Amino acid sequence: MIDSEHAVAVVGMACRFPGANDVEAYWELLRDGVEGITRFDVEDLVRNRGADPDEVRQPNFVPAKGVVADSANFDWSFFGYSRAEAAGIDPQQRVFLETASAALDDAGLDPTRFDGWIGVYAGADRTHPDTGRDLSPLARLIGYEKDHVATRAAYKLGLRGPAVTVQTSCSTSLVAIHMAVQSLLSRECDAALAGGVAVAPAGEWGYVHEPGGPLSADGHCRPFDASATGTVPSEGVGVVVLKRLDDALRDGDRIAAVVLGSALNNDGAEKMGYATPSIPGQRDVIRYAQKLAGVDAADIDYVEAHGTATPIGDPIEVQALTEAFRMSTDEVGYCLIGGVKGNLGHTSASAGVAAFIKTVLMLEHGEVVPSLHFDEPNPLLELDGTPFRVCTEHRPWPDRGARLAAVSSFGVGGTNAHVVLHGPSEREPTAPRQGGTVLAVSAATPAAVAKLRGNLA
């Protein structure tokens, strides 16, 4: 059985990603193997959209971007703003507020009637102030400073638990989910919103590809593929609602999935450069999350990888996963792996929650969706000797007992996050695996934590 005292339930979700403006559309996009990235015609950009011809006609300019539809629109009156006030707020804060409200609706959670504190943990991408607006210095500071993405949601939605803005680059929103989980387990709050947002201003229609850089040469993101050249910058927003599992069961909530354990760490100095990923850093956070979740790597069916499709990043990630899994299993090819960036591109501060919601949806539906643009594995991955194989088709969830999955998100600068999830099943959930230790952070002594970390190897 799941140790419900130390587990957290996913009870609500809302999102807007390229090609999908809600959770149902997102599931259809994933299930059908659709790429949501928009491709622009360069001459149309010049003639009709005011693009700089010297920029977009460069031979290495890639006119591709993942776009959130209607991100400039905002129902200001619904949230009690005037039109002028709303115009002085970063679209990222507005989109996050709308999505947070939708997530609460999905969870059936009314903050005015909820008997407890609701927290919010979230992060946003870099801001793009509209310098042409006639705003006071204070209004500009609040409206266009990403520090306020969480607190604005708390203010407008009436959330009295912790409101914390998280910034760890690409791993921001999965870090926010981890922090929300810990806040629930330590009883700082009784429900929590967690997620992230990245919305760029109109006028960004692509990027300049640099050979050897992190961005794709052709506007397609190909996680784990031999022809991968990088990722594609994209927009997105996602929010999940979390409650302690015991409380969700008591309240009769719809439970889409259960967080069994999550962990954070940083690479430290053990890597070639500040922006370079680290095998030991990623390996250790994966192994620590498994230990906290009380699961054995041999029982994990699927890993939603960070999967940036860079020639360096993908091999490092697979090597780190392999080292973490090899600490408890010698099996080969049993665990499916995928990357949602093939569908969406890199949604920046919302990348982690995009991966998390994808994995929750797969667990909830009992189906695995394809990882796009994978034809031949990057030979540096040496997949044949690993526990992993890339999922290339829509198929039923592997029938290996309880549905177990994991999600990784790694940020530039080295802050790594990993989450282990349990899905709903008609079968009785299995007990924590031998070798795993369910450890509530709120109840753990320093000695217990030190012992657990010391047993990672």
Side-chain angles (χ1 to χ4, degrees):
M1 294 291 293
I2 296 173
D3 181 358
S4 60
E5 183 182 352
H6 300 145
V8 168
V10 181
V11 299
M13 299 184 290
C15 66
R16 295 169 65 182
F17 292 116
N21 242 22
D22 56 37
V23 171
E24 290 74 20
Y26 188 38
W27 174 243
E28 291 177 6
L29 177 142
L30 295 168
R31 181 196 61 201
D32 297 341
V34 174
E35 181 188 74
I37 295 169
T38 300
R39 281 165 178 75
F40 301 95
D41 178 83
V42 168
E43 294 310 312
D44 175 66
L45 293 177
V46 173
R47 288 194 303 267
N48 302 317
R49 305 201 187 201
D52 180 351
D54 292 335
E55 178 186 0
V56 300
R57 285 175 176 158
Q58 295 179 73
N60 56 342
F61 181 79
V62 181
K65 176 185 173 183
V67 178
V68 169
D70 302 321
S71 62
N73 296 336
F74 180 58
D75 190 354
W76 45 268
S77 61
F78 177 82
F79 292 102
Y81 287 110
S82 69
R83 187 187 296 273
E85 286 175 320
I89 300 172
D90 181 1
Q92 293 187 117
Q93 293 189 34
R94 302 190 316 224
V95 169
F96 183 83
L97 177 58
E98 290 177 320
T99 309
S101 178
L104 288 171
D105 287 345
D106 186 61
L109 201 162
D110 181 351
T112 65
R113 299 183 178 182
F114 184 67
D115 185 19
W117 282 3
I118 302 173
V120 54
Y121 294 82
D125 197 14
R126 59 194 173 95
T127 56
H128 306 267
D130 185 345
T131 55
R133 296 203 183 279
D134 184 17
L135 300 174
S136 70
L138 178 61
R140 181 175 300 284
L141 174 66
I142 295 173
Y144 282 92
E145 172 54 62
K146 60 186 179 180
D147 283 0
H148 301 287
V149 65
T151 49
R152 184 181 297 279
Y155 172 62
K156 280 297 176 180
L157 299 176
L159 313 180
R160 298 187 61 243
V164 180
T165 297
V166 181
Q167 299 297 338
T168 61
S169 187
C170 321
S171 61
T172 290
S173 52
L174 200 64
V175 171
I177 290 170
H178 166 84
M179 293 177 69
V181 167
Q182 299 309 310
S183 185
L184 287 163
L185 293 178
S186 63
R187 298 188 176 271
E188 290 180 328
C189 59
D190 305 291
L193 306 181
V197 58
V199 174
E204 292 189 2
W205 298 289
Y207 57 91
V208 176
H209 168 72
E210 297 179 357
L215 301 180
S216 168
D218 63 358
H220 295 288
C221 184
R222 299 177 169 85
F224 316 114
D225 192 74
S227 61
T229 56
T231 191
V232 178
S234 292
E235 301 177 337
V237 57
V239 179
V240 296
V241 183
L242 308 172
K243 292 174 71 175
R244 288 182 291 272
L245 179 56
D246 276 344
D247 293 349
L249 292 169
R250 179 200 65 204
D251 296 340
D253 294 319
R254 187 200 78 221
I255 299 172
V258 176
V259 177
L260 295 182
S262 62
L264 301 182
N265 75 351
N266 191 276
D267 295 333
E270 197 173 355
K271 54 184 179 179
M272 294 179 62
Y274 177 75
T276 306
S278 159
I279 291 174
Q282 294 182 16
R283 176 199 65 210
D284 289 349
V285 79
I286 293 164
R287 187 61 179 154
Y288 191 29
Q290 291 173 359
K291 287 281 189 179
L292 289 169
V295 303
D296 192 291
D299 295 305
I300 295 175
D301 304 309
Y302 178 88
V303 174
E304 176 64 19
H306 188 58
T308 55
T310 57
I312 294 177
D314 283 4
I316 285 177
E317 181 168 12
V318 170
Q319 180 63 32
L321 278 164
T322 300
E323 290 187 11
F325 276 55
R326 282 287 175 255
M327 292 175 185
S328 58
T329 179
D330 294 324
E331 292 186 59
V332 174
Y334 71 90
C335 183
L336 297 171
I337 190 172
V340 75
K341 292 180 180 64
N343 302 88
L344 306 180
H346 196 327
T347 58
S348 184
S350 66
V353 72
F356 184 89
I357 293 176
K358 171 190 172 180
T359 308
V360 169
L361 287 169
M362 290 194 299
L363 288 164
E364 188 176 26
H365 287 272
E367 301 170 20
V368 183
V369 300
S371 188
L372 299 192
H373 309 309
F374 180 82
D375 296 314
E376 181 181 348
N378 181 338
L380 295 177
L381 302 180
E382 300 180 339
L383 275 178
D384 289 344
T386 75
F388 309 105
R389 53 193 172 94
V390 178
C391 185
T392 58
E393 61 180 352
H394 176 217
R395 50 165 290 177
W397 193 272
D399 188 10
R400 296 181 348 111
R403 298 175 194 161
L404 290 174
V407 185
S408 288
S409 192
F410 310 127
V412 171
T415 296
N416 307 310
H418 192 76
V419 177
V420 178
L421 290 162
H422 188 295
S425 173
E426 293 179 359
R427 295 173 294 276
E428 184 74 0
T430 56
R433 283 20 172 225
Q434 185 177 2
T437 304
V438 175
L439 178 70
V441 172
S442 59
T445 64
V449 172
K451 181 178 179 182
L452 184 60
R453 288 176 178 160
N455 288 333
L456 294 180

